[in-house]
Amino acid sequence: MLYESTRGSLDRVTGARGIIQGIAEDGGLFVPCRIPSLDLPLEDLAEMSYKEIAKWVLGKFFDEFEPDEISQCVEAAYDYKFTADDVVGFSKAGHGYFLELYHGKTAAFKDMALSLLPHLMKLALKKEGENRRLLILTATSGDTGKAALEGFKDVEGTDVVVFYPEGGVSQVQERQMVSQEGKNTHVFSIEGNFDEAQSRVKEIFADENFKEDLAKEGIILSSANSINIGRLVPQIVYYIYSYGKLLKMGIIKAGEPMNVSVPTGNFGNILGAYFAKEMGIPVGKFICASNENKVLADFFNTGLYDIRDITRKFILTNSPSMDILISSNLERLLYLGSGRDGDFVKNCMDSLRFMKCYTTMDSEEMNSVFGEFQGGEATEEETLKEIKKLWEEASYLMDTHTAVAYKVYEDYRERTLDESPTVIVSTASAYKFSEAVLEALGLEKQEKGFRSVEALEAYTKVPIPYGLKDLEKKAVIHKGKIKPEDMRTAIKESVILTNI
Ligand SMILES: *Cc1c(COP(=O)(O)O)cnc(C)c1O
């Protein structure tokens, strides 16, 4: 299986090379040159464990790895660190089936892919005979950073540098990152929002001079952001698993559709669902749920991707991991949806860069993809209301991101009367966003995030995830605060000076 760039201009690379490189040299994202079919009777999924499905799916996308090697990666990634019965949780509550992806070490769904990515990278380095040091460069809206730090901590031959927007993450998220141990971990807060951090990181990836400087030190750049194909593939697995679960529970028969509702920021998670469908899983609608930064909801309703200042402002909300205006992975949908038209994608991306908007309305092929997606948004207030409602009706506790997905699904259901079983993708533990969840439940707001965690446990009796316990007592190790223009210097100082 080979991978090609969404901007169409370059030769194909192996999966291993794609994982190491993170982003294509022309600035595009890697996609497999064809999407493999599942190649299994759907009925079989009902009897397969999470890890069995993971091994099967990874084998299809990375066929240059031996089955044994893949098996070792999967076993090492999804071990005791995941506390749910079968890696992920699956609970019925209200009108939804909640796919709980937050039972890993950092209590958010990023663990699903970032527990696996370091193992895939090590394997990829071996396959490619690459012996330079790998520098994992990551911009985070809060959850990717911690999951990447945990995943790569003390992994030989790697350094990991994380940038997060100052004031743009919750107190729990921040402490999780700045207390990170491991000699190869480096964390900085930057002035600016997530989009700024992500754009700068992308610029650095395209900066040949900078890369040459690093190469002289024997270092190559890679990314743990969801633009890395090694992150996307693990995110296909849980959609296939969900279908098996619904079969096993007798909710659907093989061939009948399920919907998915996904709280969306960078478009990586929901893209996993799209790939699952392309592989052969019957998915009815992809419900793409946004918070008040609703650029995607508007896009799916109009075909216009528009982040011009006159149209919208960036807003900090109570679902901060979705406070994003530039959804990187949408580029992959544009590529696949347009029949792999690299020129079309390149034009859209150029237009986004220079005019801050683009339209897909002229592309007939894209219009047919649009029929499968439903965009919707939930305000902060609606999000809180939904948390309270489901807690009171079903004693089920959701975090703010999951609540956005549930609210947008409820609106969809009311509007369309579509009763197909719907998987609500649950991306974080409520404890990661306790301040907002407390407020939702009508409890007194605590001044600090840490107090809120305790208060939430006292009230709900839902256990605190082990990764979030005693966070307040953890020492702050990383104190760097920098300006966006100083990111290159910070990187060099972190990885070159410390490795001498
Ligand atoms: C990252 C994240 C999201 C958004 O996922 P994308 O793949 O960026 O669309 C939603 N919820 C939480 C809790 C997250 O950490």
Side-chain angles (χ1 to χ4, degrees):
M1 173 73 76
L2 293 175
Y3 288 77
E4 61 197 21
S5 165
T6 47
R7 301 201 190 163
S9 60
L10 290 169
D11 291 342
R12 293 171 170 179
V13 300
T14 62
R17 185 45 67 186
I19 291 173
I20 293 171
Q21 222 172 288
I23 190 164
E25 269 161 29
D26 60 358
L29 310 189
F30 288 118
V31 288
C33 59
R34 63 179 171 82
I35 296 184
S37 82
L38 183 64
D39 223 4
L40 271 181
L42 291 172
E43 289 85 352
D44 289 13
L45 294 172
E47 301 307 326
M48 288 170 79
S49 71
Y50 192 88
K51 287 195 258 189
E52 282 171 331
I53 296 177
K55 290 172 193 174
W56 181 262
V57 172
L58 286 166
K60 293 274 167 206
F61 282 90
F62 301 114
D63 55 5
E64 76 258 41
F65 298 163
E66 303 295 332
D68 262 7
E69 294 172 323
I70 287 180
S71 177
Q72 279 166 21
C73 287
V74 169
E75 293 293 337
Y78 301 127
D79 58 4
Y80 64 90
K81 294 191 290 298
F82 288 83
T83 55
D85 287 345
D86 191 10
V87 186
V88 297
F90 201 83
S91 309
K92 170 138 188 29
H95 296 120
Y97 295 88
F98 289 78
L99 170 64
E100 300 167 357
L101 302 176
Y102 54 78
H103 296 295
K105 192 149 187 189
T106 77
F109 99 95
K110 305 293 197 295
D111 285 327
M112 300 307 301
L114 283 165
S115 301
L116 194 52
L117 185 65
H119 300 286
L120 293 175
M121 273 197 183
K122 272 196 280 186
L123 197 51
L125 290 170
K126 191 176 99 186
K127 288 278 159 195
E128 293 285 306
E130 180 64 75
N131 42 29
R132 288 174 288 181
R133 262 186 100 72
L134 210 53
L135 166 54
I136 312 295
L137 201 56
T138 292
T140 184
S141 58
D143 293 324
T144 289
K146 178 60 180 179
L149 290 162
E150 271 306 324
F152 283 95
K153 149 180 100 177
D154 293 329
V155 171
E156 224 174 283
T158 70
D159 278 290
V160 49
V161 179
V162 167
F163 297 103
Y164 69 92
E166 193 180 340
V169 302
S170 77
Q171 191 185 25
V172 166
Q173 287 176 314
E174 180 169 44
R175 184 61 67 90
Q176 276 188 304
M177 290 188 278
V178 296
S179 65
Q180 179 66 45
E181 294 172 1
K183 358 181 234 318
N184 64 339
T185 62
H186 313 274
V187 182
F188 300 93
S189 75
I190 70 157
E191 280 174 25
N193 61 37
F194 171 73
D195 286 316
E196 173 134 36
Q198 174 162 263
S199 301
R200 293 274 180 172
V201 164
K202 280 191 188 164
E203 258 172 51
I204 292 173
F205 271 99
D207 180 343
E208 293 304 327
N209 290 334
F210 185 72
K211 285 195 287 192
E212 253 170 51
D213 288 353
L214 291 178
K216 283 187 202 136
E217 308 289 333
I219 295 170
I220 45 173
L221 279 185
S222 189
S223 166
N225 276 108
S226 57
I227 51 175
N228 194 311
I229 192 71
R231 256 191 75 181
L232 179 62
V233 174
Q235 291 175 183
I236 303 168
V237 175
Y238 42 75
Y239 292 102
I240 300 178
Y241 176 83
S242 296
Y243 195 79
K245 269 283 185 193
L246 291 173
L247 282 175
K248 187 162 177 95
M249 291 161 78
I251 309 297
I252 49 173
K253 292 195 192 68
E256 288 174 359
M258 66 173 185
N259 297 327
V260 296
S261 182
V262 188
T264 298
N266 226 353
F267 208 75
N269 199 350
I270 196 168
L271 192 69
Y274 184 77
F275 271 69
K277 181 170 185 181
E278 294 292 297
M279 290 181 80
I281 297 297
V283 178
K285 289 279 189 253
F286 304 99
I287 300 167
C288 179
S290 303
N291 64 23
E292 279 153 349
N293 294 295
K294 60 189 184 69
V295 59
L296 283 170
D298 290 347
F299 174 66
F300 284 113
N301 289 322
T302 64
L304 181 68
Y305 196 96
D306 187 355
I307 57 168
R308 286 173 300 178
D309 298 340
I310 50 160
T311 316
R312 68 181 89 242
K313 275 204 186 59
F314 179 88
I315 303 166
L316 287 174
T317 73
N318 57 20
S319 46
S321 304
M322 297 154 68
D323 290 343
I324 293 175
L325 295 181
I326 304 174
S327 292
S328 295
N329 272 292
L330 192 63
E331 180 166 346
R332 288 190 166 112
L333 184 73
L334 295 176
Y335 185 66
L336 297 173
S338 66
R340 296 181 184 256
D341 185 345
D343 290 334
F344 168 74
V345 174
K346 195 172 173 311
N347 287 338
C348 289
M349 293 302 120
D350 284 346
S351 172
L352 183 63
R353 186 156 166 217
F354 298 113
M355 264 109 74
K356 295 196 157 199
C357 64
Y358 63 80
T359 174
T360 60
M361 279 177 276
D362 308 331
S363 163
E364 241 169 69
E365 271 157 321
M366 275 308 293
N367 286 337
S368 74
V369 173
F370 270 44
E372 299 172 84
F373 282 80
Q374 286 281 322
E377 74 262 5
T379 63
E380 288 195 279
E381 207 185 316
E382 288 171 330
T383 304
L384 298 181
K385 246 170 123 178
E386 214 60 26
I387 292 174
K388 185 178 170 72
K389 197 176 91 192
L390 199 63
W391 174 253
E392 284 175 353
E393 282 172 7
S395 304
Y396 188 78
L397 191 63
M398 304 185 272
D399 92 296
T400 45
H401 303 75
T402 309
V404 168
Y406 190 56
K407 166 68 180 157
V408 172
Y409 165 60
E410 288 279 69
D411 289 349
Y412 165 80
R413 193 172 159 274
E414 231 165 72
R415 188 171 71 241
T416 61
L417 307 176
D418 177 357
E419 295 279 342
S420 310
T422 298
V423 173
I424 311 295
V425 178
S426 310
T427 49
S429 156
Y431 284 103
K432 262 196 131 158
F433 306 97
S434 328
E435 293 103 320
V437 175
L438 270 189
E439 188 188 339
L441 299 179
L443 299 173
E444 204 174 318
K445 216 172 162 172
Q446 304 290 314
E447 209 170 292
K448 281 177 103 184
F450 302 127
R451 293 290 86 72
S452 307
V453 171
E454 292 158 12
L456 189 58
E457 187 187 39
Y459 181 76
T460 61
K461 307 284 189 285
V462 174
I464 301 176
Y466 71 99
L468 301 184
K469 273 197 186 140
D470 300 325
L471 207 49
E472 195 179 6
K473 297 191 193 120
K474 298 223 164 99
V476 174
I477 298 172
H478 306 276
K479 297 183 177 146
K481 289 192 194 312
I482 59 168
K483 293 200 162 63
E485 57 269 28
D486 296 331
M487 283 165 69
R488 284 175 179 77
T489 316
I491 294 167
K492 282 191 179 167
E493 285 176 357
S494 307
V495 301
I496 298 177
L497 298 178
T498 56
N499 285 321
I500 289 174

